[in-house]
Amino acid sequence: MNVGDAYGTHPGAIAALLEAAGEAAMVLSFQEDRTFAALSVGRFGTVGSTRLDWAGAEVIERCELFDADELRRLVASCAEADDLAVVLWSNLAVPSVALPAALAAARAEAVLECSPECWIYLVDSGVLIEFQDGEGFTAGKVPH
């Protein structure tokens, strides 16, 4: 079995997010996931298995809080008007989701309940927000 075969095999993990977001959310195919990953998390090195190495990147903010209110605040402060947010999970079995950034912020609880680690790529603004449960958020510009 290759990685593409395992992609999206656990859609139940995002069911609450999809229900909360309604038709404004789109589940990404494996190819779409890999394309957005290459434009965002793929431009960073890693520390351990899932944490990004932010050395050399323009970090906008780090915070130790890791609740929905903090995610809402970060998305609102980093996103441009009508920004597209792509939520990527640390487990490829959970399919990635694209939705308006304002909706990702409004449904922050549902986003954080899907996985203990995720990345929210704000496409238009070129910002990536990393979430590591128990460690907080890091937001910064994606290196070119």
Side-chain angles (χ1 to χ4, degrees):
M1 178 188 327
N2 68 40
V3 175
D5 293 335
Y7 177 79
T9 57
H10 291 88
I14 60 169
L17 173 60
L18 293 177
E19 184 177 324
E23 293 183 16
M26 182 178 82
V27 177
L28 301 182
S29 69
F30 177 68
Q31 186 57 47
E32 291 166 330
D33 169 90
R34 296 295 74 204
T35 298
F36 281 112
L39 296 170
S40 59
V41 296
R43 296 198 174 167
F44 291 84
T46 59
V47 176
S49 61
T50 62
R51 184 176 303 128
L52 298 181
D53 182 359
W54 290 86
E58 179 187 338
V59 174
I60 296 168
E61 184 175 347
R62 292 182 196 269
C63 58
E64 293 180 7
L65 299 174
F66 50 94
D67 61 12
D69 288 337
E70 190 62 17
L71 178 56
R72 257 189 290 286
R73 186 191 67 72
L74 271 175
V75 171
S77 70
C78 294
E80 294 181 8
D82 299 324
D83 216 333
L84 176 67
V86 175
V87 184
L88 304 148
W89 316 103
S90 61
N91 183 347
L92 283 176
V94 180
S96 296
V97 177
L99 67 164
L103 187 55
R107 303 294 184 235
E109 290 89 353
V111 170
L112 296 180
E113 288 173 4
C114 293
S115 174
E117 297 122 0
C118 71
W119 298 269
I120 300 170
Y121 175 43
L122 302 172
V123 177
D124 299 319
S125 61
V127 171
L128 186 68
I129 299 171
E130 179 178 38
F131 169 66
Q132 296 284 333
D133 191 22
E135 296 181 28
F137 295 99
T138 302
K141 290 283 190 179
V142 174
H144 294 286

